[in-house]
Amino acid sequence: MVFNIVLYGLAGSLLAVSLAKDKKKSKMALKKAWKAFENILPQFLAILLLIGLMLAVLTPQAISSVIGHESGWAGMLLAAGIGSVTLIPGFVAFPLAAALLSNGAGIAQIAVFISTLMMVGVVTLPVEMKYFGKRAALTRNALALVMATVVALIMGVILR
Amino acid sequence: MKQDNSNSLEQNKPSRQIDSAKPPMPGAGKKKQSLLRRYAMFLILAVVYVIVMIAAPDIGVKAIGLTWDNILEMLLILPPVFVLLGLLDVWVPREVMIRLTGPGSGLKGIIIALMLGSLAAGPLYAAFPVAGIMLKKGTKISNIMIFVGAWSTTKIPLLLFEASSLGSSFMLLRFALNIPVIFLMAWLVEKSLSAEDIKAVYKQAEAEVS
């Protein structure tokens, strides 16, 4: 919340400086901002609908039943899969992960879930491809999946 | 709401078509898409929602609630992000961006990309339009990947929250492991792309953001 205020403060004050310096340029900046937003809005809305549906199905209970107690490698894979496909905001994901941990999920499973959640975005791939192209976007996501797994395995060993 | 969008879209079209008339770039075809085509995925999902509402009302209601929360979050975070993006586009000349983060920017470019990403707010999908502007201004691919990597995993406000819910040892270890991973990924992505691939990325960003 504090961060949102900082973000608005920053955008607001920079816009004020911009307005003071050059009205026409500022107007152009706002126009560009709107155009960029309008351009990507359909994808954003689709993503949000998809996320809503997924989160409604994948309740904490459902997630914990598959990556919970002694789920081992299968659990790792499932955790990576769920983390890659879903897009849960951090302020929901961390408490969820904490709850899963206290319910007996393994550290490595939780770490891979958190890491893939953050780095891999299957749902957002269309948006990513729109800006980076297919090749770069797919490469980034594939690498992120591998790296997230490696990081999680190391964390699982160290934090055990 | 949608009516407004269609109007502004029509106005945007002529200027965009000048760009897309030149080379056959991957993003070019999308510019001519009708409103219906652009919102096709959204409409399909809306139909899915209707079906879910009929078949499993409890899940449907929950999904709509969750979507609504996310839309509110999006509407809260995105305006300042896009205003900053617009200001960046107008005020920071290409030469400056290239000098700071382009080829040959070295450590300085890496640090700037890392800082920009870490200080960011909002979900990862909000990072892509910003990255698009940076690409358009001549930022190096590896620095773009560092920016996206930092935005996804080392956002400072999120780290604090992570420490409070999962413990600081979890957060610190993940952070320490992820920093080299971000660099490694950036390097690998850049290495894996051919000169033509990279050219295509810049063209695509140019077509998408202009």
Side-chain angles (χ1 to χ4, degrees):
Chain A
M1 201 58 228
V2 177
F3 205 75
N4 288 337
I5 296 167
V6 173
L7 191 66
Y8 270 85
L10 186 68
S13 45
L14 285 179
L15 185 61
V17 172
S18 172
L19 273 169
K21 271 189 148 178
D22 190 334
K23 261 207 178 101
K24 222 175 122 199
K25 260 186 154 174
S26 309
K27 225 177 128 187
M28 207 158 89
L30 288 179
K31 232 167 133 183
K32 285 196 179 214
W34 170 251
K35 247 165 92 175
F37 177 70
E38 196 273 334
N39 189 26
I40 202 67
L41 187 65
Q43 267 91 349
F44 277 5
L45 287 176
I47 288 171
L48 293 181
L49 281 184
L50 211 55
I51 296 167
L53 208 52
M54 274 178 177
L55 291 184
V57 179
L58 290 172
T59 57
Q61 295 88 327
I63 295 178
S64 99
S65 71
V66 288
I67 63 172
H69 217 43
E70 285 164 10
S71 53
W73 273 102
M76 281 288 279
L77 278 177
L78 276 167
I82 296 172
S84 303
V85 171
T86 51
L87 205 161
I88 307 173
F91 61 86
V92 178
F94 291 130
L96 169 64
L100 292 178
L101 267 182
S102 61
N103 282 321
I107 279 273
Q109 282 86 350
I110 290 303
V112 82
F113 172 65
I114 291 286
S115 293
T116 49
L117 197 60
M118 292 176 144
M119 292 157 70
V120 188
V122 171
V123 181
T124 52
L125 251 183
V127 179
E128 192 171 345
M129 282 193 220
K130 221 176 151 193
Y131 290 98
F132 298 165
K134 228 183 214 158
R135 190 80 207 264
L138 287 175
T139 310
R140 191 194 74 78
N141 278 279
L143 281 172
L145 182 58
V146 174
M147 301 285 180
T149 312
V150 173
V151 164
L153 285 174
I154 297 173
M155 288 183 74
V157 171
I158 293 180
L159 291 178
R160 190 178 298 278
Chain B
M1 181 69 188
K2 275 182 190 150
Q3 243 13 67
D4 292 349
N5 286 346
S6 96
N7 287 335
S8 66
L9 182 73
E10 293 312 316
Q11 283 158 13
N12 292 341
K13 263 187 177 167
S15 66
R16 283 175 178 177
Q17 271 166 350
I18 297 165
D19 291 300
S20 53
K22 297 179 292 183
M25 57 185 111
K30 287 178 197 155
K31 291 290 149 207
K32 287 168 201 145
Q33 283 174 1
S34 68
L35 196 65
L36 192 68
R37 179 85 176 72
R38 292 180 67 224
Y39 282 89
M41 196 62 210
F42 173 74
L43 293 174
I44 291 170
L45 282 164
V47 172
V48 171
Y49 266 69
V50 173
I51 295 169
V52 170
M53 272 310 260
I54 295 164
D58 48 331
I59 289 179
V61 168
K62 217 174 136 199
I64 287 172
L66 287 161
T67 304
W68 181 244
D69 288 349
N70 278 332
I71 286 177
L72 289 183
E73 202 214 345
M74 180 178 101
L75 290 179
L76 181 71
I77 297 254
L78 291 185
V81 169
F82 276 84
V83 165
L84 288 171
L85 181 154
L87 290 172
L88 175 78
D89 196 11
V90 169
W91 283 107
V92 180
R94 200 178 140 81
E95 305 77 58
V96 173
M97 199 63 160
I98 289 179
R99 187 152 41 80
L100 291 175
T101 59
S105 59
L107 190 63
K108 181 179 54 186
I110 292 174
I111 291 172
I112 289 172
L114 201 61
M115 296 274 280
L116 279 176
S118 296
L119 293 174
L124 186 60
Y125 57 78
F128 299 131
V130 181
I133 290 277
M134 289 168 73
L135 276 172
K136 188 187 146 200
K137 297 260 173 197
T139 299
K140 222 163 78 157
I141 302 262
S142 64
N143 283 341
I144 289 288
M145 288 298 148
I146 289 173
F147 167 75
V148 171
W151 186 307
S152 67
T153 58
T154 63
K155 268 184 299 187
I156 290 161
L158 218 54
L159 288 179
L160 298 176
F161 191 64
E162 181 178 1
S164 74
S165 45
L166 290 170
S168 38
S169 58
F170 185 96
M171 183 278 271
L172 284 173
L173 184 60
R174 203 185 57 77
F175 181 76
L177 289 171
N178 266 318
I179 290 286
V181 159
I182 289 172
F183 293 143
L184 185 62
M185 270 180 62
W187 184 75
L188 283 172
V189 168
E190 192 168 81
K191 282 286 153 218
S192 75
L193 297 175
S194 67
E196 276 119 78
D197 289 334
I198 290 179
K199 224 184 265 170
V201 170
Y202 282 107
K203 263 189 188 154
Q204 173 126 3
E206 186 80 35
E208 209 48 62
V209 185
S210 57

